[in-house]
């Protein structure tokens, strides 16, 4: 009696997403096996512990071999050793370069150097993220930075082109690179309530409006560097608070536009200009005037939060008087647009370029 047996042979590389996650999270083979057992894999599959150990080791070997290709994702697409469907290739890349919110908040704005890398042990202990995963994420940030730092063109587009990221991940990495290049301070205690998403939102606004690329698409590093000429010009905006006639007219226009529309109108009117201890206009304009110095650029978010957002010049009166976010939005919108009705003011384009970004950032950072 003869038996027939159908055999199918294939060479598609199998990717177990759960094992890949454990590898990315920095777990050893033995720890990964223990976690898989705890998740009930043996009962679900009927496999033995020995088979599970062998399966996990096999996946880990594959991931280690793939890692060098993941450092330059286009190589993964064009290599012939591993037969991986395009959808799986995209998954491997996206998850390899994904990052933990807790980790990115610890390094955001810091120089991506050996000095920062030495702090990863402390970051691992603080966040509970394995040291191996912290190193992978840090090395990914540094790798992307090095590849795109000298490129012309859109920062997010360059990242997406060279690393094959999704649009969202490319934009997140653009924010990380932008913050690392300009060394914005994000670690102060008063800034801890802000998420990476808050900073990334502000980074996108600054890239669109305050960088060299915002005015000249042919400039090297156009999305990496802030436009120094623009920052120097911002001191011209001080006339809005230094010239009493302009200040009085600006207040009058804002109050006329908001009368009957703002729930906290009387508080806003009282805090608009000197001699009020909280001067809303002076606080907003002084941030612009300070951006002429590198250190003050780095302290932008400290100024927005501690001195404007939480301090006595802007949001402290808003908070103490219980301004809802909607009223803050109405005030900032009118405060911005009424400047166009000031006949004696000659810096309208400069004002719009500054205030469009500042308004967006303040609304994102304000938590009523």
């Amino acid at each position: 009696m003869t038996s027939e047996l159908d055999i199918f042979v294939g060479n598609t590389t199998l990717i177990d997403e759960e094992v890949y996650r454990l590898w990315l999270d920095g777990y050893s083979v033995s720890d990964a096996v223990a976690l898989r057992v705890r998740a009930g894999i043996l009962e679900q599959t009927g496999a033995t512990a020995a088979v599970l150990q062998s399966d996990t080791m096999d996946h880990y070997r594959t991931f280690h071999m793939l890692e060098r290709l993941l450092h330059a994702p286009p190589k993964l697409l064009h290599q012939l050793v591993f037969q991986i469907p395009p959808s799986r290739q995209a998954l491997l890349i996206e998850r390899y370069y994904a990052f933990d919110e807790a980790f990115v908040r610890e390094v955001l704005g810091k120089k991506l150097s050996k000095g920062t890398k030495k702090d990863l042990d402390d970051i691992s202990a603080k966040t509970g993220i394995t040291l191996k995963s912290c190193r992978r994420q840090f090395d990914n940030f540094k790798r992307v930075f090095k590849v795109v730092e000298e490129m012309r063109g859109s920062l997010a587009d360059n990242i997406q082109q060279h690393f094959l990221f999704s649009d969202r991940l490319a934009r997140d990495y653009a924010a990380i690179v932008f913050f690392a290049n300009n060394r914005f301070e994000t670690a102060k205690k008063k800034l801890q309530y802000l998420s990476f998403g808050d900073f990334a939102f502000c980074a996108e606004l600054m890239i669109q409006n305050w960088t060299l690329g915002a005015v000249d698409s042919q400039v090297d590093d156009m999305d990496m560097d802030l436009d120094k000429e623009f920052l120097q010009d911002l001191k011209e905006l001080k006339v809005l608070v230094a010239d009493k006639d302009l200040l009085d007219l600006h207040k009058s226009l804002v109050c006329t536009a908001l009368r009957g529309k703002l729930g906290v109108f009387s508080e806003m009117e009282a805090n608009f200009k000197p001699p009020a201890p909280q001067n809303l206009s002076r606080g907003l304009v002084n941030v612009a005037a300070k951006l002429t110095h590198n250190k003050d650029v780095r302290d932008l978010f400290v100024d927005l939060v501690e001195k404007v957002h939480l301090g006595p010049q802007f949001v402290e009166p808003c908070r103490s008087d219980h301004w809802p976010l909607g009223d803050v939005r109405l005030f900032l919108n009118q405060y911005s647009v009424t400047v166009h009705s000031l006949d004696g003011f000659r810096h309208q384009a400069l004002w719009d370029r500054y205030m469009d970004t500042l308004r967006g950032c303040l609304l994102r950072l304000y938590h009523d």
Side-chain angles (χ1 to χ4, degrees):
M1 179 177 176
T2 60
S3 297
E4 293 185 0
L5 181 64
D6 292 328
I7 299 175
F8 173 79
V9 177
N11 65 347
T12 300
T13 302
L14 300 177
I15 304 295
D16 186 304
E17 293 183 33
E18 179 60 23
V19 181
Y20 188 48
R21 181 187 66 79
L22 293 170
W23 179 73
L24 290 174
D25 286 345
Y27 291 106
S28 65
V29 171
S30 58
D31 287 340
V33 169
L35 288 168
R36 296 182 77 190
V37 169
R38 198 175 305 160
I41 189 71
L42 296 181
E43 293 79 7
Q44 295 166 18
T45 63
T48 65
V51 169
L52 181 63
Q53 174 82 13
S54 178
D55 177 70
T56 305
M57 288 182 65
D58 186 53
H59 279 296
Y60 268 50
R61 277 193 294 267
T62 299
F63 299 147
H64 282 301
M65 288 187 287
L66 286 170
E67 189 165 22
R68 63 179 179 82
L69 299 172
L70 288 166
H71 289 172
K75 291 182 179 180
L76 179 64
L77 270 63
H78 300 122
Q79 55 80 37
L80 301 176
V81 176
F82 301 97
Q83 301 302 305
I84 305 173
S87 61
R88 283 306 209 194
Q89 292 177 343
L91 179 145
L92 287 170
I93 295 167
E94 198 79 358
R95 294 194 181 177
Y96 186 80
Y97 284 91
F99 52 84
D100 293 294
E101 166 88 14
F103 178 77
V104 73
R105 278 296 283 113
E106 292 295 322
V107 301
L108 188 65
K110 294 182 179 179
K111 190 174 182 180
L112 300 175
S113 63
K114 291 181 179 179
T116 303
K117 194 168 185 177
K118 289 179 181 178
D119 297 333
L120 295 185
D121 289 275
D122 293 336
I123 293 174
S124 174
K126 179 180 178 179
T127 61
I129 301 168
T130 66
L131 180 58
K132 187 173 181 180
S133 181
C134 288
R135 287 172 176 163
R136 173 182 59 82
Q137 294 179 60
F138 179 84
D139 288 343
N140 285 347
F141 295 163
K142 186 174 182 178
R143 183 180 307 111
V144 173
F145 184 98
K146 289 295 184 183
V147 168
V148 302
E149 65 176 328
E150 301 295 338
M151 289 183 177
R152 292 187 179 187
S154 163
L155 187 54
D157 288 349
N158 285 337
I159 291 171
Q160 194 167 31
Q161 178 182 349
H162 286 81
F163 289 90
L164 310 180
F165 292 170
S166 65
D167 178 68
R168 180 66 269 166
L169 188 61
R171 288 159 61 190
D172 283 345
Y173 265 80
I176 292 166
V177 169
F178 180 71
F179 266 64
N181 185 63
N182 292 285
R183 306 285 299 283
F184 289 110
E185 173 62 60
T186 67
K188 291 291 182 68
K189 185 177 180 180
K190 292 291 188 180
L191 301 177
Q192 290 306 304
Y193 79 98
L194 297 172
S195 68
F196 168 73
D198 294 329
F199 286 116
F201 177 86
C202 295
E204 197 161 336
L205 287 178
M206 286 188 281
I207 288 171
Q208 291 171 357
N209 293 304
W210 289 4
T211 62
L212 290 167
V215 293
D216 187 350
S217 61
Q218 297 304 309
V219 175
D220 289 335
D221 311 331
M222 65 180 221
D223 278 357
M224 295 274 283
D225 297 322
L226 292 168
D227 184 349
K228 288 184 172 56
E229 184 176 345
F230 161 70
L231 297 181
Q232 289 295 321
D233 289 344
L234 288 176
K235 61 180 180 291
E236 302 294 339
L237 300 182
K238 290 201 74 172
V239 68
L240 286 171
V241 293
D243 186 313
K244 186 177 183 303
D245 291 337
L246 278 180
L247 183 61
D248 288 341
L249 180 57
H250 193 192
K251 176 188 176 182
S252 176
L253 291 170
V254 172
C255 290
T256 298
L258 292 178
R259 195 179 305 275
K261 298 178 182 178
L262 209 63
V264 289
F265 178 83
S266 60
E267 292 85 352
M268 180 277 294
E269 186 178 33
N271 292 326
F272 194 94
K273 68 167 191 172
Q278 296 94 1
N279 178 0
L280 300 178
S281 188
R282 188 176 299 281
L284 294 169
V285 172
N286 280 348
V287 170
K290 289 181 64 179
L291 293 177
T292 56
H293 305 291
N294 287 338
K295 184 182 184 305
D296 291 315
V297 171
R298 293 178 184 176
D299 285 342
L300 172 64
F301 291 96
V302 177
D303 290 340
L304 291 179
V305 172
E306 288 192 339
K307 298 176 183 177
V308 175
H309 182 56
L310 293 176
Q313 293 179 317
F314 185 75
V315 176
E316 183 58 32
C318 296
R319 285 192 161 182
S320 63
D321 293 328
H322 308 291
W323 286 43
L325 179 60
D327 280 4
V328 175
R329 179 178 288 106
L330 278 173
F331 169 75
L332 288 173
N333 287 346
Q334 286 301 323
Y335 178 81
S336 300
V337 300
T338 50
V339 164
H340 290 273
S341 300
L342 301 177
D343 292 336
F345 186 64
R346 297 286 181 263
H347 309 287
Q348 308 286 2
L350 179 67
W351 172 255
D352 288 343
R353 188 178 175 189
Y354 166 69
M355 201 62 199
D356 285 351
T357 294
L358 192 74
R359 179 176 62 232
C361 289
L362 281 171
L363 291 174
R364 180 67 185 231
L365 303 182
Y366 184 82
H367 292 193
D368 58 352

